[in-house]
């Protein structure tokens, strides 16, 4: 895509909940790992919605244990327990990806294809592990998706988890681009805050676990990326008549022809149409 017609040079995607609706697989894997280790923890969908405000599986386990003062096996530190549980949980999650053959969220493949055809850079920036990401990219469709992404930055590359901007700052450095040349697709409040702290504009695609998050500062909040025959639902922001996310809309958001959300979020929760 030529600089003569647009400033958009790259799209940076989050992974879990953004590329694919993986969060329910993660929730189930956590609960199975707890049960197999004889720990009487069970994260309901409602609890997991709150837990997703903490990025990183090990961090989520530690935060939950600390908040609830839950017992743990003797002579095992909380850090050791979290690592052990998360390692087992990740193996269960990857098995679910392989056996469940999860698909991409609506509009993702279309946008990837449009971006690659236009010559844009495409990157992933996630708090997930490289192994989990590679497994998802291998099994999300009938053919591997890895070749779409020029840059993949994971928790194995950048230790600080979202909402730290580190993963996005590192991704920008890898791409050799400035924040005003890129736009981010995210799904959580922590991801939105991380990207915004790195100076990046964001488009949010929510799901059952994040639709009530605070997305202050995002340029647009939607239920999905949409398609020509499957319009997105605008939850906040102004799509200026667009019904699906394409490169023209992303460039318009990036160049400021569409107003970003105000710094305050609506008092009433956003309810998606059924």
């Amino acid at each position: 895509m030529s600089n003569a017609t647009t400033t958009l040079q790259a799209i940076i995607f989050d992974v879990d909940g953004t590329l694919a609706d993986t969060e329910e697989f993660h929730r189930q894997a956590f609960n199975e790992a707890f049960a197999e280790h004889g720990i009487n923890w069970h994260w309901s969908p409602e609890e997991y919605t709150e837990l997703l405000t903490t990025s990183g599986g090990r961090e989520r386990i530690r935060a939950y244990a600390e908040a609830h003062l839950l017992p743990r096996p003797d002579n095992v530190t909380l850090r050791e327990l979290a690592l052990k549980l998360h390692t087992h949980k990740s193996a269960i999650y990857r098995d679910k990806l392989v056996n469940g053959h999860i698909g991409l969220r609506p509009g993702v493949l279309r946008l990837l294809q449009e971006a690659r055809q236009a010559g844009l850079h495409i990157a992933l920036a996630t708090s997930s592990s490289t192994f989990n990401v590679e497994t998802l990219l291998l099994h999300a469709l009938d053919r591997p998706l890895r070749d779409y992404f020029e840059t993949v930055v994971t928790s194995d590359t950048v230790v600080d988890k979202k909402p730290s901007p580190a993963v996005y700052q590192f991704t920008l450095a890898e791409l050799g681009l400035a924040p005003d040349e890129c736009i981010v697709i995210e799904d959580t409040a922590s991801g939105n805050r991380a990207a915004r702290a790195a100076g990046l504009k964001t488009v949010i695609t929510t799901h059952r676990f994040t639709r009530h998050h605070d997305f202050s500062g995002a340029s647009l909040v939607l239920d999905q990326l949409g398609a020509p025959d499957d319009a997105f639902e605008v939850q906040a922001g102004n799509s200026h008549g667009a019904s699906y996310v394409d490169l023209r809309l992303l460039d318009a958001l990036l160049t400021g022809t569409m107003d970003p959300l105000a710094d305050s979020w609506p008092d009433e929760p956003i309810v998606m149409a059924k």
Side-chain angles (χ1 to χ4, degrees):
M1 182 170 286
S2 171
N3 280 326
T5 58
T6 182
T7 61
L8 179 63
Q9 297 298 313
I11 305 175
I12 307 173
F13 287 85
D14 171 55
V15 177
D16 289 307
T18 301
L19 277 188
D21 198 359
T22 56
E23 294 299 357
E24 177 60 16
F25 276 14
H26 280 291
R27 187 186 74 85
Q28 293 173 11
F30 275 115
N31 287 334
E32 290 178 29
F34 299 154
E36 291 178 22
H37 282 267
I39 297 175
N40 189 28
W41 302 355
H42 183 88
W43 290 350
S44 68
E46 293 74 21
E47 284 180 308
Y48 197 65
T49 297
E50 295 301 319
L51 287 163
L52 275 180
T53 59
T54 299
S55 294
R58 282 173 292 177
E59 292 78 4
R60 213 165 286 150
I61 291 169
R62 292 179 65 178
Y64 184 78
E66 289 169 352
H68 294 268
L69 300 177
L70 296 174
R72 58 180 181 269
D74 293 337
N75 302 318
V76 176
T77 68
L78 182 53
R79 182 175 181 177
E80 290 170 339
L81 177 62
L83 177 59
K84 184 176 182 180
L85 287 172
H86 187 255
T87 299
H88 190 186
K89 170 263 168 183
S90 293
I92 295 171
Y93 168 73
R94 288 190 293 270
D95 285 342
K96 289 181 178 295
L97 289 181
V98 172
N99 297 322
H101 200 70
I102 191 169
L104 298 180
R105 291 195 66 186
V108 169
L109 182 60
R110 172 189 55 76
L111 186 58
L112 288 173
Q113 292 171 335
E114 290 177 9
R116 182 161 69 174
Q117 184 176 10
L120 266 66
H121 303 279
I122 313 173
L124 291 179
T126 176
S127 291
S128 189
S129 70
T130 300
F131 198 179
N132 284 358
V133 171
E134 295 290 355
T135 303
L136 174 63
L137 295 180
L138 184 61
H139 294 281
L141 289 174
D142 292 334
R143 59 186 181 281
L145 288 174
R146 181 61 180 84
D147 62 345
Y148 278 96
F149 302 100
E150 170 185 337
T151 298
V152 176
V153 182
T154 72
S155 62
D156 297 312
T157 312
V158 176
V159 175
D160 292 342
K161 304 290 179 71
K162 302 172 185 177
S164 165
V167 67
Y168 283 113
Q169 292 168 337
F170 192 95
T171 302
L172 288 170
E174 288 289 289
L175 291 170
L177 295 173
D180 61 3
E181 297 176 301
C182 311
I183 199 160
V184 170
I185 312 293
E186 266 283 0
D187 73 303
T188 65
S190 61
N192 179 58
R193 282 159 45 208
R196 297 293 296 134
L200 290 152
K201 291 189 175 180
T202 58
V203 172
I204 308 298
T205 55
T206 66
H207 48 79
R208 63 179 292 195
F209 294 114
T210 67
R211 64 187 61 169
H212 298 306
H213 280 195
D214 181 340
F215 293 116
S216 298
S219 295
L220 195 58
V221 181
L222 311 165
D223 67 328
Q224 58 163 318
L225 294 177
D229 59 350
D230 184 19
F232 54 51
E233 179 182 318
V234 177
Q235 296 182 327
N238 190 342
S239 68
H240 287 237
S243 60
Y244 62 96
V245 175
D246 60 5
L247 300 186
R248 181 173 56 180
L249 174 58
L250 293 180
D251 187 60
L253 293 169
L254 187 67
T255 55
T257 58
M258 297 182 182
D259 294 333
L261 299 180
D263 288 337
S264 60
W265 195 247
D267 292 333
E268 294 299 321
I270 295 171
V271 179
M272 293 172 59
K274 296 182 178 178

